[in-house]
Amino acid sequence: TFDYAPAPESRSVVDLKSSYGLFIDGEFVDSRGGTPFKTISPATEEVLAEVSEASQEDVDRAVAAARTAFRSWSRLSGADRGKYLFRIARIMQERAREFAVLESLDNGKPIKESRDVDVPIAAAHFFYHAGWADKLAYASLGDNPRPHGVVGQVIPWNFPLLMLSWKIAPALATGNTVVLKPAETTPLTALLFAEVCQQADLPPGVVNIITGAGPTGQALVGHEGVDKVAFTGSTAVGKAIARTIAGTRKKATLELGGKAANIVFDDSPVDQAVEGIVTGIFFNQGHVCCAGSRLLVQESIAEEVEAKLKARLATLRVGDPLDKNTDIGAINSRAQLDRITELAQVGEDEGAVRWAPECELPANGFWFRPTIFTGVSQTHRIAQEEIFGPVLSVLTFRTPGEAVAKANNTPYGLSAGIWTEKGSRILWMADQLKAGVVWANTFNKFDPASPFGGYKESGYGREGGRHGLSAYVTTGATR
Ligand code: TXE
């Protein structure tokens, strides 16, 4: 049975304020006319803080501050910009515990993930891009690369701090200034990051954080003072943004959904593959755009893999995100829980076989047991649509060709995994798979030096590595 015990001692490392303003031009300021909203802990439904909603006037102010700051920031030497980024990275490391606890409180993810994955990789992005800032001439970015100007960035709730760092670090390294809007259910680590900017003495206006929901995001990406848009979120909103900026001078990168296949061949080390399948879909409650949400397992070992998977799932601990032993935390919001619940019901209605281990869930908050569907066919909605929760759809295949055809048979193309001992097969499969990232004998590995992004409805543009930098510069003739 599950004994829900909040962990007050770890909570005490964060200095949670009862209300937060907007971070504009280096200061926390009150909104002009926005309606404040509450951010809650998805594990307990308690209110964590009241957060400001940026109105159109606030968006105007933030963009104007970024525009003014751009004049001097873009003229600063790369080495000087790099110094600020190094400083930010180091402060993030120093305040890692605060960031990790706050992220787990606001998002619901297990503390061991925010502590070991989100926060360190977020800092690593700033270190990595700090290193690029004075070496852009060697990054093969084309003729006369220059920053776009003011970048409007909208990020989702699944990796709030990490997505912020993916967006802000390359933008600043290349000399742009930023207005960023975090998701409405997870604004707190972005606001803590604003404090880090102050602590690092980053010039006012270089980074502005405005909070709010969809309409604030819409006002930002549609703002005439924004030169480039970077978005991570749902395919539906990505398409709406693409329509908003069509015909304008704005450049955009869109990182949208996924329905990755994790492909397990009969010569793979099965126990290792089972761990990879579990990480692939249950890491971060399955709120991962590159999650291995479809298991494609070779028919001859399907029964063995299913049995081992079920045994492994029965050992996963679902519960308090602040407990270091927790494997699966809370679903980020009631709306997301409803979406997952509905699609899982569709899976049952379409005839797939549902299985989840017995486990007691806390009385309050948003929870979903790790769930497996077997007997899934390609046409089922749970094989086609992004569930964005701890739900795995299991399909089988006989030949490598069939595995490729099934893996590619979705509207998405973000990532894929291959498990096999055969190197030549890995190379052949990686070439055939329509996926921006292909992992072999591992899954969900992230590195700031590796470009990340998708094909088809998973969006366009790459983040990370040299390719990620190129999204933040314009080349050719002077404007
Ligand atoms: O995303 P939204 P939601 C997928 C996942 C999930 C579904 C819905 O399948 O179940 O999307 O999630 C801002 N103009 N992903 O509804 O709405 C919003 O405020 C500008 C995959 O939460 O796309 C938030 O900051 N911005 C994904 C951000 O967009 C707008 C991660 C994302 O919210 C806007 C998240 C608008 N018109 C969800 N409307 C991934 N690729 O990782 C909303 N926003």
Side-chain angles (χ1 to χ4, degrees):
T1 60
F2 176 71
D3 177 20
Y4 183 74
E9 68 293 345
S10 44
R11 250 195 94 144
S12 66
V13 304
V14 298
D15 171 24
L16 210 50
K17 299 175 181 56
S18 57
S19 65
Y20 288 83
L22 307 165
F23 185 66
I24 297 178
D25 210 10
E27 302 286 340
F28 283 95
V29 298
D30 291 336
S31 160
R32 294 188 186 154
T35 310
F37 60 99
K38 293 178 170 56
T39 185
I40 64 165
S41 150
T44 61
E45 296 175 67
E46 66 171 316
V47 173
L48 294 173
E50 192 173 84
V51 181
S52 303
E53 180 199 37
S55 63
Q56 180 67 54
E57 190 182 340
D58 297 322
V59 178
D60 291 344
R61 285 199 288 163
V63 172
R67 170 69 51 207
T68 305
F70 177 69
R71 286 188 211 121
S72 43
W73 182 252
S74 58
R75 288 190 194 127
L76 216 56
S77 72
D80 282 340
R81 287 200 305 274
K83 277 184 205 161
Y84 284 108
L85 292 180
F86 276 125
R87 220 183 267 169
I88 289 171
R90 279 195 296 266
I91 298 171
M92 286 174 84
Q93 284 183 324
E94 281 161 19
R95 302 182 71 171
R97 268 193 90 196
E98 260 176 279
F99 272 112
V101 172
L102 198 58
E103 196 74 312
S104 283
L105 273 176
D106 207 16
N107 168 280
K109 67 175 70 201
I111 188 77
K112 68 179 177 192
E113 291 181 6
S114 42
R115 180 195 63 192
D116 298 343
V117 181
D118 299 64
V119 179
I121 304 184
H125 267 269
F126 280 94
F127 278 117
Y128 175 80
H129 288 95
W132 267 127
D134 62 352
K135 300 173 196 71
L136 295 176
Y138 306 99
S140 308
L141 297 175
D143 289 342
N144 189 20
R146 286 152 295 120
H148 291 290
V150 176
V151 181
Q153 304 181 320
V154 176
I155 58 170
W157 42 264
N158 53 339
F159 293 95
L161 183 69
L162 188 55
M163 288 302 106
L164 171 148
S165 66
W166 280 28
K167 299 272 178 293
I168 293 184
L172 298 196
T174 44
N176 298 276
T177 55
V178 165
V179 181
L180 177 135
K181 190 198 84 65
E184 54 273 34
T185 56
T186 54
L188 296 181
T189 46
L191 294 164
L192 182 57
F193 179 82
E195 279 184 32
V196 170
C197 294
Q198 285 181 323
Q199 209 180 328
D201 280 329
L202 190 72
V206 171
V207 168
N208 304 273
I209 308 284
I210 56 169
T211 42
T216 303
Q218 211 169 354
L220 175 60
V221 300
H223 199 284
E224 57 180 21
V226 167
D227 301 292
K228 182 210 153 51
V229 169
F231 172 75
T232 299
S234 64
T235 300
V237 172
K239 286 181 180 178
I241 290 176
R243 280 192 294 272
T244 303
I245 63 174
T248 70
R249 69 175 192 292
K250 289 177 198 170
K251 299 279 188 297
T253 37
L254 304 175
E255 204 265 276
L256 310 174
K259 192 72 189 174
N262 210 349
I263 306 165
V264 180
F265 285 93
D266 60 7
D267 68 337
S268 65
V270 171
D271 291 333
Q272 196 187 324
V274 166
E275 284 309 305
I277 296 163
V278 169
T279 309
I281 182 63
F282 300 114
F283 167 62
N284 204 34
Q285 295 72 247
H287 300 329
V288 183
C289 48
C290 53
S293 52
R294 288 181 299 153
L295 168 62
L296 297 188
V297 56
Q298 200 154 19
E299 214 171 75
S300 49
I301 56 161
E303 262 180 42
E304 181 193 356
V305 169
E306 271 169 35
K308 287 192 162 173
L309 249 182
K310 287 178 180 174
R312 180 68 178 91
L313 254 61
T315 69
L316 295 179
R317 293 178 186 223
V318 185
D320 182 6
L322 294 186
D323 183 331
K324 280 180 253 176
N325 296 311
T326 293
D327 299 300
I328 300 188
I331 299 302
N332 179 249
S333 65
R334 186 175 294 283
Q336 190 59 26
L337 179 60
D338 289 348
R339 251 179 242 135
I340 298 167
T341 307
E342 193 189 316
L343 263 172
Q345 188 57 49
V346 168
E348 274 187 60
D349 297 346
E350 287 184 328
V353 180
R354 179 175 184 163
W355 184 89
E358 284 298 319
C359 63
E360 230 175 89
L361 300 175
N364 296 321
F366 315 129
W367 307 95
F368 201 89
R369 289 186 179 84
T371 300
I372 302 182
F373 277 97
T374 51
V376 179
S377 84
Q378 292 190 77
T379 52
H380 286 166
R381 280 179 61 193
I382 56 167
Q384 290 291 329
E385 294 179 28
E386 184 174 54
I387 301 174
F388 224 60
V391 181
L392 178 69
S393 299
V394 183
L395 297 93
T396 58
F397 67 91
R398 287 186 183 164
T399 63
E402 189 187 342
V404 166
K406 286 188 169 171
N408 286 340
N409 183 18
T410 79
Y412 297 110
L414 194 54
S415 64
I418 308 167
W419 297 82
T420 176
E421 292 285 11
K422 212 169 167 186
S424 58
R425 185 183 281 159
I426 292 171
L427 296 176
W428 181 80
M429 295 282 294
D431 186 51
Q432 300 289 311
L433 291 167
K434 276 268 168 282
V437 182
V438 178
W439 286 292
N441 297 327
T442 186
F443 208 91
N444 276 342
K445 284 264 184 272
F446 304 101
D447 187 301
S450 299
F452 184 91
Y455 285 89
K456 301 193 278 185
E457 296 204 1
S458 291
Y460 44 79
R462 295 289 179 269
E463 293 183 296
R466 197 174 54 70
H467 297 76
L469 284 175
S470 68
Y472 285 97
V473 295
T474 180
T475 55
T478 318
R479 273 182 299 172

